[in-house]
């Protein structure tokens, strides 16, 4: 693939599982199953392209408001995928991170998440962050609570300090945010970190989002002119 700059960090809002299923006359749960299965090939494509950080939005703090059986089904599928995929991801050198809160998740899943983070912590090829039970506003509330608990004096509060207290501490900000299924909104995803991210929206539903679609988004990113508020000649 010929590309310009390759994004260091790509973040994906994996949307459209329900519409994918409806278009096939299937229950929404089948869309979620197909969606969870599509994470693996996209992780592979990121490794091929040389992307160092991939973040996927799997379940938002607002998704708890969906019908109970949908929530339960989705959480079950995500937990199963974590347990099934972790050993292979580890062999491939993928480090798994979690963005969000473990509270409210089933106890055995909390343990599975901790085990996956622990097992893969020294891997360097790709950092795969799962935004799971994640909300950008909840993340900011959590950060402010920690800063206050640490008795940080007001004049020491800086952008860097806030960044260090977010779930994403240590990760670079996303360069490219991809949203599938056509919506043009962030839905509470990485609202602090997205300040200067490039945005790419595609009508393709997440279960159909292919390696070729990812390559297309990355190619488009390579043609963008990022200015960060300055003038092009300064960047
Ligand atoms: C994305 O698909 C998965 C989650 C939000 C958890 P949706 O379930 O939102 O699919 P649509 O938007 O109803 O098509
Ligand atoms: C965003 O999708 C959350 C995830 C992809 C996990 P939603 O389907 O929940 O977003 P809205 O409700 O359309 O904004
Ligand atoms: Mg949706």
């Amino acid at each position: 693939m010929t590309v310009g700059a390759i994004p260091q960090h790509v973040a994906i809002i994996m949307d459209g599982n329900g519409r994918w299923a409806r278009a096939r006359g299937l229950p929404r749960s089948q869309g979620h199953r197909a969606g969870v299965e599509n994470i693996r090939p996209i992780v592979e494509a990121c490794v091929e392209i040389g992307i160092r950080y991939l973040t996927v939005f799997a379940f938002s703090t607002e998704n708890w408001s969906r019908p109970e059986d949908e929530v339960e089904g989705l959480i079950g599928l995500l937990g199963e995928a974590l347990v099934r995929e972790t050993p292979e991801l580890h062999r491939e050198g993928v480090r798994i991170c979690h963005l969000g809160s473990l509270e409210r998740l089933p106890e055995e899943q909390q343990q599975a998440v901790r085990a996956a983070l622990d097992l893969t912590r020294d891997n360097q090829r790709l950092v795969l962050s799962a935004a799971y039970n994640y909300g950008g506003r909840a993340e900011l509330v959590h950060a402010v609570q920690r800063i206050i608990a640490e008795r940080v004096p007001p004049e020491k509060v800086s952008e860097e300090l806030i960044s260090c207290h977010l779930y994403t501490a240590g990760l670079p900000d996303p360069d490219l945010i991809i949203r599938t299924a056509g919506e043009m909104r962030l839905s509470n995803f990485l609202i602090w970190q997205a300040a200067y991210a490039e945005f790419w929206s595609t009508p393709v539903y997440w279960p159909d989002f292919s390696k070729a679609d990812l390559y297309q988004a990355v190619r488009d990113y390579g043609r963008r002119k990022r200015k960060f508020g300055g003038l092009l000649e300064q960047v």
Side-chain angles (χ1 to χ4, degrees), residues 107-126:
E107 183 52 40
E108 67 278 9
Q109 265 200 32
Q110 299 189 17
Q111 283 172 17
V113 171
R114 288 198 194 95
L117 306 189
D118 215 44
L119 177 72
T120 64
R121 66 179 337 122
D122 296 324
N123 294 342
Q124 307 251 337
R125 199 185 231 169
L126 173 79

Side-chain angles (χ1 to χ4, degrees), residues 14-20 28 32 58-59 63 66 70 74:
M14 309 185 291
D15 196 16
N17 294 349
R19 281 164 279 175
W20 180 92
R28 292 179 60 84
H32 291 314
F59 190 86
N63 289 147
R66 295 187 180 199
E70 174 161 350
L74 188 51

Side-chain angles (χ1 to χ4, degrees), residues 58-59 64 71-83 86 98 101-117 132-133:
F59 190 86
W64 292 106
V71 169
E72 247 177 50
L74 188 51
I75 285 186
L77 284 168
L78 288 164
E80 278 166 28
L82 177 76
V83 171
T86 295
H98 172 238
S101 166
L102 289 177
E103 273 168 39
R104 263 185 107 167
L105 296 175
E107 183 52 40
E108 67 278 9
Q109 265 200 32
Q110 299 189 17
Q111 283 172 17
V113 171
R114 288 198 194 95
L117 306 189
Y132 182 37
N133 192 16

Side-chain angles (χ1 to χ4, degrees), residues 172-186:
D173 284 342
D175 299 297
L176 173 64
I177 295 182
I178 296 172
R179 181 162 190 152
T180 60
E183 310 310 337
M184 301 279 191
R185 54 176 173 261
L186 282 174

Side-chain angles (χ1 to χ4, degrees), residues 9-19 28 32 38 42 54-60 62-63 66 134 174-191 194 197-210 213-214 216-218 220-221 224:
H9 183 176
V10 173
I12 307 183
I13 302 172
M14 309 185 291
D15 196 16
N17 294 349
R19 281 164 279 175
R28 292 179 60 84
H32 291 314
N38 198 39
I42 297 304
L54 170 66
T55 298
V56 292
F57 200 6
F59 190 86
S60 77
E62 289 71 36
N63 289 147
R66 295 187 180 199
Y134 171 88
D175 299 297
L176 173 64
I177 295 182
I178 296 172
R179 181 162 190 152
T180 60
E183 310 310 337
M184 301 279 191
R185 54 176 173 261
L186 282 174
S187 301
N188 203 13
F189 185 48
L190 301 179
I191 50 176
E198 297 293 324
F199 199 71
W200 169 264
S201 172
T202 169
V204 175
Y205 298 145
W206 170 252
D208 284 335
F209 186 81
S210 65
D213 292 315
L214 179 68
Q216 194 191 351
V218 169
D220 189 81
Y221 170 87
R224 307 264 182 107

